[in-house]
Amino acid sequence: METVMLLIMLILTVAMVSCSRHVIAKPRCPNCGSTPVPYPLSTDPGCGDPLYRVSCKAGKLWLDALNESSYLIASTNPLTQRLIVRPPGFTNNTCMSADFRSQGIHLDSNLPFNITSSNTIINMNCSESVIQLYTARNCSSTSRCHDYIRENAIAKASCGITTTCCWFTTGGSANEFSVRIREDRCSAYQSFVNLDLASPVSKWPEPGLEVEWLLPREPVCETAVNCQYLRNSMCLQDPISAGKKRCYCRAGFRWDPINGVCLVDRKCQKGGSCHRHKRKTPLIAGSALSAGAMLLGISFTVLVYKNNRRRRGELAKVCLSNVRERIINVSSNGLTCKEITKATNNFSRDNLLGSGGFGEVFKGILYDGTIIAIKRAKAGNTKGIDQIMNEVRILLQVKHRCLVKLLGCCVELEQPLLVFEYISNGTLFDHLHNTGCFGEKSVVKLV
């Protein structure tokens, strides 16, 4: 009888493998010509992480942007998750960038790429309105952009020495995904990475725009078969995204997002409590098999499910903790979650400042009298937790006098917390719509 059951299980496994349409967990992509393609960049649906797609054309890597535009990737650094693309230059010796029709570089905000704060942008052929609207940009007569146009042969031939120009550094929500140009603002641009403006123009680096990518999560899977390329992993429910599964590393291993592999966890080798779980995969009978094989397969599935339910629940909690630690890694200025909770009187409704679809904001007073505002995701709302984690990632890159300052965060609790400086005098909505403090000219200047 045992021999018969093993034979049926083997048949079911083969049927499941043959019916699987595609493998979702994928290895690193092959070189593009002589250029290595680091994980998670993907040049083909069969390799890398499809969210991190790039193109391989004639042995060169290209980053695809919106409006059907692409930019040559000059270099990649998987250790820092950075790549540098080449700006397109000028169009036919005119003071207009080659990507003028697409209004500059526009990355897809739904993909895990964004422009870093290490770029210095030189805008050329700008209108007078730019000087009035964008006061943060250096558009003065002594701006270094004039030196660049005078001393760079290509810029001088394309724009002449009398053009209005500006320079600014990237960073913040305004240019996190784009460097804009248009006819009524500036029609041309050039970009430099880690530029020292005090150095002579002849010493400036080759033009480039630095883009970073987020560290990838574990590959998505549907069944255990999808995880065959990721050794020492198992297909489990994603604790953050309902209805989605991922190839999580087995106990004793940890996910390496840089190389896309499961590495041996050194903590386990040093006497930790890690132990390897025996892999047991529920088997689903195919429609072509007999009714008897289907019943045996279902019985086997129920048995495995009961035996592994407790252990998988524990592993899911560990996965959720790891995901949070990987996404959020900021200092809370010495504040503990207990102190933050105490500052709000255990999130008393008397301290509630406002609420939205995904979270609530409370007023808090620290032990030294400092007033703070704490944002907390609503209980049981996974979208709210995702939004707060994404908000931390964005706010860490944004520094502006008109934006509320992020003081820290707490991820030890079930509901993540963000700690902001407290700004009194009501909300921006009240000022715009109720008090009448802002006239039309004031709003335009603020924007």
Side-chain angles (χ1 to χ4, degrees), residues 364-421:
I365 302 177
L366 298 177
Y367 60 90
D368 62 354
T370 302
I371 301 177
I372 56 176
I374 300 96
K375 185 173 183 178
R376 181 181 70 169
K378 287 187 176 180
N381 192 324
T382 56
K383 289 186 177 180
I385 295 175
D386 290 344
Q387 185 190 50
I388 281 186
M389 290 182 174
N390 186 55
E391 190 171 343
V392 171
R393 181 185 66 80
I394 294 175
L395 288 175
L396 288 176
Q397 305 176 55
V398 175
K399 291 183 180 179
H400 195 279
R401 59 188 179 86
C402 293
L403 293 178
V404 64
K405 184 178 180 181
L406 176 66
L407 300 178
C409 65
C410 171
V411 295
E412 298 172 15
L413 303 177
E414 184 67 23
Q415 299 163 259
L417 307 176
L418 300 187
V419 182
F420 297 94
E421 61 177 336

Side-chain angles (χ1 to χ4, degrees), residues 88-98 125 152-160 187-188:
F90 300 95
T91 300
N92 299 326
N93 291 325
T94 62
C95 200
M96 182 180 296
S97 290
N125 197 22
N152 182 275
I154 298 177
K156 182 177 181 179
S158 301
C159 297
S187 63

Side-chain angles (χ1 to χ4, degrees), residues 206-314:
E206 190 173 356
L209 182 76
E210 187 179 68
V211 175
E212 67 177 344
W213 66 80
L214 299 178
L215 284 173
R217 294 186 60 192
E218 293 85 349
V220 175
C221 62
E222 293 177 353
T223 67
V225 179
N226 302 140
C227 300
Q228 63 178 339
Y229 284 118
L230 184 59
R231 296 182 60 186
N232 302 307
S233 70
M234 57 195 306
C235 187
L236 294 175
Q237 180 66 43
D238 188 334
I240 291 181
S241 301
K244 183 179 291 185
K245 295 182 179 180
R246 294 184 180 276
C247 299
Y248 288 108
C249 297
R250 292 176 176 272
F253 296 85
R254 62 177 178 83
W255 169 242
D256 176 12
I258 296 178
N259 298 300
V261 297
C262 289
L263 296 178
V264 175
D265 194 336
R266 300 299 179 186
K267 295 180 181 179
C268 298
Q269 290 187 338
K270 295 180 180 180
S273 59
C274 302
H275 59 280
R276 186 170 298 181
H277 293 266
K278 185 179 179 181
R279 182 177 181 178
K280 295 183 179 180
T281 306
L283 302 178
I284 303 175
S287 59
L289 299 179
S290 65
M294 289 180 63
L295 290 175
L296 287 174
I298 293 173
S299 300
F300 181 74
T301 300
V302 173
L303 178 63
V304 172
Y305 174 78
K306 288 183 177 180
N307 289 338
N308 286 335
R309 181 171 54 186
R310 177 181 56 82
R311 287 181 292 177
R312 289 192 176 188
E314 295 175 354

Side-chain angles (χ1 to χ4, degrees), residues 38 105 129 154 225 346:
I105 297 179
S129 63
I154 298 177
V225 179
N346 197 25

Side-chain angles (χ1 to χ4, degrees), residues 7-317:
L7 180 60
I8 293 175
M9 289 167 56
L10 179 61
I11 294 173
L12 290 171
T13 303
V14 172
M16 182 178 65
V17 173
S18 63
C19 293
S20 180
R21 295 183 178 180
H22 61 279
V23 176
I24 304 179
K26 302 177 179 69
R28 186 178 74 86
C29 292
N31 291 353
C32 175
S34 60
T35 305
V37 183
Y39 188 85
L41 301 186
S42 174
T43 57
D44 184 85
C47 63
D49 189 321
L51 281 177
Y52 298 76
R53 60 178 180 267
V54 294
S55 298
C56 179
K57 304 173 184 177
K60 301 290 185 181
L61 281 178
W62 296 78
L63 178 65
D64 297 326
L66 297 177
N67 303 319
E68 299 182 352
S69 57
S70 296
Y71 298 87
L72 177 65
I73 298 177
S75 63
T76 60
N77 188 336
L79 296 180
T80 59
Q81 299 85 55
R82 299 289 196 276
L83 60 85
I84 296 178
V85 299
R86 291 281 179 242
F90 300 95
T91 300
N92 299 326
N93 291 325
T94 62
C95 200
M96 182 180 296
S97 290
D99 55 357
F100 178 78
R101 288 189 176 182
S102 61
Q103 296 190 345
I105 297 179
H106 296 271
L107 302 181
D108 188 342
S109 60
N110 295 315
L111 297 179
F113 296 100
N114 65 272
I115 298 171
T116 73
S117 58
S118 302
N119 304 288
T120 299
I121 306 297
I122 306 293
N123 280 142
M124 293 162 280
N125 197 22
C126 301
S127 65
E128 291 297 325
S129 63
V130 172
I131 301 177
Q132 300 174 4
L133 292 174
Y134 302 102
T135 56
R137 301 185 183 186
N138 191 330
C139 306
S140 67
S141 59
T142 59
S143 173
R144 285 289 280 160
C145 64
H146 293 288
D147 296 328
Y148 171 72
I149 295 174
R150 281 194 298 264
E151 299 179 34
N152 182 275
I154 298 177
K156 182 177 181 179
S158 301
C159 297
I161 61 175
T162 59
T163 183
T164 301
C165 65
C166 310
W167 71 265
F168 68 95
T169 55
T170 54
S173 58
N175 42 52
E176 183 180 8
F177 300 105
S178 63
V179 176
R180 304 174 186 272
I181 55 172
R182 59 187 193 186
E183 188 174 2
D184 60 339
R185 293 292 187 265
C186 302
S187 63
Y189 74 97
Q190 195 57 278
S191 175
F192 300 92
V193 182
N194 297 321
L195 176 63
D196 179 9
L197 284 167
S199 64
V201 174
S202 60
K203 301 293 185 181
W204 286 14
E206 190 173 356
L209 182 76
E210 187 179 68
V211 175
E212 67 177 344
W213 66 80
L214 299 178
L215 284 173
R217 294 186 60 192
E218 293 85 349
V220 175
C221 62
E222 293 177 353
T223 67
V225 179
N226 302 140
C227 300
Q228 63 178 339
Y229 284 118
L230 184 59
R231 296 182 60 186
N232 302 307
S233 70
M234 57 195 306
C235 187
L236 294 175
Q237 180 66 43
D238 188 334
I240 291 181
S241 301
K244 183 179 291 185
K245 295 182 179 180
R246 294 184 180 276
C247 299
Y248 288 108
C249 297
R250 292 176 176 272
F253 296 85
R254 62 177 178 83
W255 169 242
D256 176 12
I258 296 178
N259 298 300
V261 297
C262 289
L263 296 178
V264 175
D265 194 336
R266 300 299 179 186
K267 295 180 181 179
C268 298
Q269 290 187 338
K270 295 180 180 180
S273 59
C274 302
H275 59 280
R276 186 170 298 181
H277 293 266
K278 185 179 179 181
R279 182 177 181 178
K280 295 183 179 180
T281 306
L283 302 178
I284 303 175
S287 59
L289 299 179
S290 65
M294 289 180 63
L295 290 175
L296 287 174
I298 293 173
S299 300
F300 181 74
T301 300
V302 173
L303 178 63
V304 172
Y305 174 78
K306 288 183 177 180
N307 289 338
N308 286 335
R309 181 171 54 186
R310 177 181 56 82
R311 287 181 292 177
R312 289 192 176 188
E314 295 175 354
L315 183 57
K317 292 180 180 179

